[in-house]
Amino acid sequence: MRIGLFFLSAALLFASLLVPTISEDWRQSKIEEVEFFTIGPRFFPYLSAGIMGLLSLLLIFGDLLRKRAGRGEVETPPPKPPLRPVLAFMGIGFGYIAVLPYLGVILATPLCLAVYFWYFEFQRWNRILPLSIGVTAVIYYCFAKLMMVPLPMGFLER
Amino acid sequence: MDIFIAQLGIAFQGTNLVILFLATLAGIMIGAIPGLTVNMAVALCVPLTIHFSLAPSLCMLFALYVSGIYGGSVSAILVNTPGTPASAATTLDGYPMAQQGKAGKAMKMALFASLCGGMISIGILVMVAQNLATVALKFGPVERATLLLFALTIVGVLSGASILKGLLAGSLGLMVATVGADPMLAVPRFTFGRLELEDGFSYIPLLIGLFALSEMFQQAEDRMRTSIKALQGKSPVAEHNSLTWSDVVLSWKTIIRSSLLGTFIGILPGIGATVACFFGYGEAKRAAKNPEAFGRGTVEGVAAAEAANNAVSGATLIPLLSLSIPGDTVTAILYGALLIQGVTTGPLIFQNQIDAVYLIYITLTMANFFMALVGYSFMALFRRVTDIPRRILFPIIFVFCVIGSYSIRNTIFDVFVMMAFGIIGYFMRRQAIPVAPMLIAFILAQPFEEALRQALVGSEGDVTVFFTRPISAGFLVLTAFSVWLILRRSLKKKSETNPGGGRIS
């Protein structure tokens, strides 16, 4: 039910974001006695949102039917895996991306790797440090030196 | 012929051979480590191809694809956990063989069957793709629109356990693809005035996010504590560690049957190697003289599963090359990589870029032979790979994801796009919504919109045009028929497992 409602809201939000004045979407036009048919840029987004809305309604309807059929029976949903470690993984990742333009790859990457290794209980600092620095060196060498990709260098660039 | 020989010369250049070797080694290792998938490996390496020409790019991606699928069998045999979902059926006989001390024999049979499956599917690719493209050249916008509708529906319907969830994922892909300039009038849609969104979402950060990052987020749920111990025992009986002539004689019919089944499944969009491997295994068991031996450790079981899953690799390129329809996740990623290299798939590729087609055939063949060569030579090494802890690997892969996404346009915006799609992909996986239909719909959205709008403009808004033209009507009937068949099968399965339930989704 929740998934259906989520997708239905997404479809409605998506459709409501379309500016209704971009152009006319489905009409017969006439310029100097020549008639022609046009389809505007909103047609496809409306179609996609419509499909998603319809599918969401089917999902909600199916869930309701299932609920009604299973009334009286006690159904325990399977336990969901914990979200906290994932949020921590995401948080460290966002932190890395946020500091990357300022600290640069050379400083931000070993820091990020060290934090990750520490978080995932690989807590031997005599291994964490050389591994973090070694991986950063390999990445920097491969991208910046071998493939000539300009990497963010942060304040070291100045 | 001259073009073919020229491409052969390019493919056999020293740099390409080194790339093939390294990518094959990496592919088997990635495939062998449970949790790391072929999709993830190929997605991560696409940014690298920007800095390469076509031949090394193809060598790298095909080697990762082909050897990654084989690599999945290593952990399937040694630890009873398929390294990739495509090797799930290999565990059924592979692990019992390893328990009997026949891990060496099982791994060698997996390698031999994978090579046979791959080569048979390449043969069919060469025979079928160009002929299919000749037919597709006759298609106008009406036929193209219905063909793409067929592909989108089938991919959505077949990709997950729930038909509606698969279709919803596809519709999400369509919606995401509408961000950016409209393909016909270049009117900006959903850009909110941001210049970075004028061209829509960048393809590579999106796929890295959806496949590599979301998978890592999922693996992080247990803080990557799970450790796996592989069976390393080598039998003192020499015959248990090697593949004998009698094993080949026993399995050759199974290998050919599974390869043909895998090829057929690979041509159909949305099904992929996982289904092929079970289908091949099931058919081998059904046709076997001793079906009761299956599941207890028979080489035929390993051969059936592995020949079928590797046969998918060449076959999925048939709809990609001839109709520009990526049938599964890896071909969707390859589609993007080919676009980066200036290769436009579709029926015209056989007229305008035949050199690229030959190069694809040659490098795919080479990737299969390198898989056999490297797989055989470094078998002892691959037995140890399954022990590498994920808590070391995944942070390193995350950094690669970030740098890879950044390197496309040198902007942090793309890295945030990757993170955003990683989060979307993770929550989709958490709710058992497949992510592959989203990516495939994202790719097919633009050609679908173009064909649909051209068809409707041509017919002056008359939608009956889709029903009155024979090929188009045929595709619509095929779409409806396939959905009906799948729906019926799915409902039947559900009523068998839950006789009292009335579940629809």
Side-chain angles (χ1 to χ4, degrees):
Chain A
M1 179 83 113
R2 276 189 309 170
I3 302 171
L5 285 172
F6 174 80
F7 274 100
L8 184 64
S9 341
L12 290 172
L13 177 74
F14 185 76
S16 68
L17 283 175
L18 286 167
V19 184
T21 51
I22 293 176
S23 73
E24 306 241 353
D25 291 302
W26 184 285
R27 69 166 190 174
Q28 200 75 28
S29 308
K30 197 174 185 181
I31 299 177
E32 292 177 355
E33 299 303 309
V34 181
E35 276 200 10
F36 58 92
F37 181 77
T38 52
I39 293 177
R42 286 183 309 182
F43 166 70
F44 196 71
Y46 272 141
L47 184 74
S48 315
I51 294 170
M52 191 190 252
L54 187 73
L55 292 168
S56 315
L57 285 174
L58 281 174
L59 197 66
I60 294 168
F61 182 64
D63 283 344
L64 283 175
L65 271 185
R66 196 167 41 144
K67 234 179 196 174
R68 183 176 285 184
R71 197 178 284 165
E73 288 172 28
V74 183
E75 197 181 301
T76 42
K80 287 261 181 224
L83 202 58
R84 225 174 116 177
V86 184
L87 293 177
F89 194 116
M90 289 173 185
I92 299 168
F94 272 118
Y96 171 55
I97 298 165
V99 299
L100 197 58
Y102 307 104
L103 290 184
V105 171
I106 294 176
L107 290 176
T109 305
L111 200 67
C112 162
L113 285 172
V115 175
Y116 266 134
F117 290 145
W118 174 80
Y119 182 74
F120 288 119
E121 297 172 2
F122 181 64
Q123 290 167 342
R124 279 172 288 183
W125 285 102
N126 59 341
R127 289 202 189 172
I128 285 181
L129 284 178
L131 195 62
S132 310
I133 295 166
V135 170
T136 307
V138 171
I139 289 173
Y140 181 76
Y141 182 77
C142 288
F143 278 89
K145 298 291 170 193
L146 282 182
M147 290 188 289
M148 306 286 183
V149 177
L151 295 176
M153 296 305 289
F155 68 87
L156 293 174
E157 209 160 23
R158 280 172 230 143
Chain B
M1 195 62 189
D2 291 343
I3 302 172
F4 181 80
I5 292 167
Q7 297 310 311
L8 208 59
I10 292 171
F12 275 92
Q13 281 172 359
T15 327
N16 296 337
L17 297 178
V18 172
I19 289 175
L20 260 174
F21 171 75
L22 293 175
T24 306
L25 206 64
I28 301 179
M29 286 189 186
I30 290 168
I33 299 171
L36 298 188
T37 62
V38 183
N39 300 345
M40 191 194 264
V42 180
L44 274 175
C45 286
V46 171
L48 301 181
T49 63
I50 293 174
H51 313 285
F52 292 160
S53 62
L54 182 61
S57 305
L58 290 175
C59 286
M60 181 161 71
L61 298 176
F62 282 142
L64 282 170
Y65 181 20
V66 170
S67 57
I69 295 180
Y70 159 69
S73 71
V74 175
S75 56
I77 292 165
L78 297 176
V79 291
N80 201 20
T81 306
T84 57
S87 298
T90 312
T91 55
L92 299 174
D93 277 290
Y95 190 66
M97 281 183 77
Q99 284 176 316
Q100 294 159 22
K102 296 178 187 172
K105 189 192 277 291
M107 284 171 76
K108 281 171 190 162
M109 177 47 93
L111 193 60
F112 178 68
S114 296
L115 177 67
C116 294
M119 293 315 293
I120 288 173
S121 80
I122 292 171
I124 294 172
L125 164 73
V126 174
M127 284 190 289
V128 173
Q130 195 158 1
N131 294 321
L132 195 60
T134 314
V135 177
L137 272 176
K138 297 188 176 85
F139 291 179
V142 178
E143 288 78 15
R144 273 208 314 274
T146 44
L147 170 68
L148 290 167
L149 178 72
F150 170 67
L152 282 167
T153 315
I154 293 299
V155 166
V157 161
L158 286 174
S159 292
S162 160
I163 293 172
L164 274 178
K165 284 180 182 175
L167 289 172
L168 266 172
S171 66
L172 187 63
L174 290 181
M175 286 205 334
V176 169
T178 57
V179 175
D182 129 65
M184 291 180 86
L185 304 169
V187 176
R189 296 184 296 203
F190 308 109
T191 57
F192 306 104
R194 284 206 72 119
L195 209 62
E196 297 97 329
L197 289 173
E198 287 284 321
D199 292 331
F201 286 114
S202 220
Y203 175 75
I204 295 170
L206 186 136
L207 78 90
I208 292 179
L210 275 183
F211 287 97
L213 204 56
S214 66
E215 215 157 290
M216 276 192 280
F217 288 153
Q218 202 171 30
Q219 303 260 345
E221 282 168 348
D222 67 346
R223 287 184 80 176
M224 305 191 188
R225 280 185 183 129
T226 325
S227 64
I228 299 154
K229 200 71 207 150
L231 290 176
Q232 297 292 351
K234 208 173 172 182
S235 171
V237 184
E239 203 212 321
H240 287 179
N241 298 314
S242 58
L243 193 65
T244 59
W245 183 245
S246 61
D247 294 326
V248 177
V249 170
L250 181 74
S251 310
W252 74 271
K253 274 186 192 165
T254 303
I255 290 174
I256 292 175
R257 190 190 311 107
S258 284
S259 303
L260 293 174
L261 277 171
T263 305
F264 176 70
I265 288 169
I267 296 172
L268 302 173
I271 307 180
T274 312
V275 175
C277 124
F278 278 106
F279 207 60
Y281 183 84
E283 279 305 301
K285 190 177 176 181
R286 203 179 56 81
K289 282 178 190 161
N290 298 319
E292 61 279 3
F294 279 70
R296 291 179 188 174
T298 168
V299 276
E300 258 190 289
V302 175
E306 285 300 305
N309 68 21
N310 262 63
V312 170
S313 61
T316 48
L317 292 177
I318 296 173
L320 180 72
L321 289 181
S322 52
L323 307 170
S324 199
I325 293 174
D328 67 355
T329 312
V330 178
T331 39
I333 299 168
L334 285 172
Y335 172 91
L338 287 170
L339 270 185
I340 291 168
Q341 294 294 332
V343 177
T344 315
T345 54
L348 285 173
I349 194 176
F350 293 93
Q351 290 177 5
N352 302 337
Q353 291 176 299
I354 192 70
D355 48 343
V357 175
Y358 287 150
L359 203 55
I360 288 171
Y361 293 162
I362 296 165
T363 47
L364 188 59
T365 311
M366 287 165 76
N368 272 281
F369 278 109
F370 264 75
M371 172 197 70
L373 200 74
V374 175
Y376 188 80
S377 314
F378 293 87
M379 207 166 267
L381 170 75
F382 301 136
R383 284 180 174 211
R384 308 234 162 261
V385 164
T386 47
D387 296 337
I388 298 177
R390 286 178 301 154
R391 58 189 179 175
I392 295 178
L393 275 177
F394 277 38
I396 298 171
I397 294 171
F398 176 77
V399 172
F400 267 101
C401 289
V402 171
I403 304 292
S405 299
Y406 177 85
S407 69
I408 312 299
R409 296 193 295 188
N410 302 324
T411 155
I412 285 286
F413 181 80
D414 281 346
V415 183
F416 279 109
V417 168
M418 176 204 71
M419 280 298 276
F421 281 100
I423 294 169
I424 292 172
Y426 168 68
F427 282 104
M428 284 172 73
R429 284 169 194 267
R430 209 174 148 89
Q431 297 296 336
I433 302 170
V435 285
M438 184 175 165
L439 178 71
I440 294 174
F442 177 80
I443 289 169
L444 295 181
Q446 193 178 330
F448 181 51
E449 181 179 359
E450 277 174 1
L452 195 63
R453 282 168 70 176
Q454 280 170 5
L456 286 169
V457 167
S459 69
E460 303 213 322
D462 179 13
V463 287
T464 56
V465 72
F466 296 109
F467 302 96
T468 50
R469 293 177 70 145
I471 298 176
S472 160
F475 280 130
L476 287 179
V477 170
L478 205 62
T479 309
F481 183 66
S482 318
V483 172
W484 177 75
L485 266 184
I486 296 157
L487 202 63
R488 201 182 67 153
R489 201 190 56 192
S490 150
L491 286 175
K492 204 174 160 188
K493 209 192 256 175
K494 269 172 195 161
S495 66
E496 275 168 12
T497 51
N498 179 22
R503 189 176 166 169
I504 283 184
S505 64

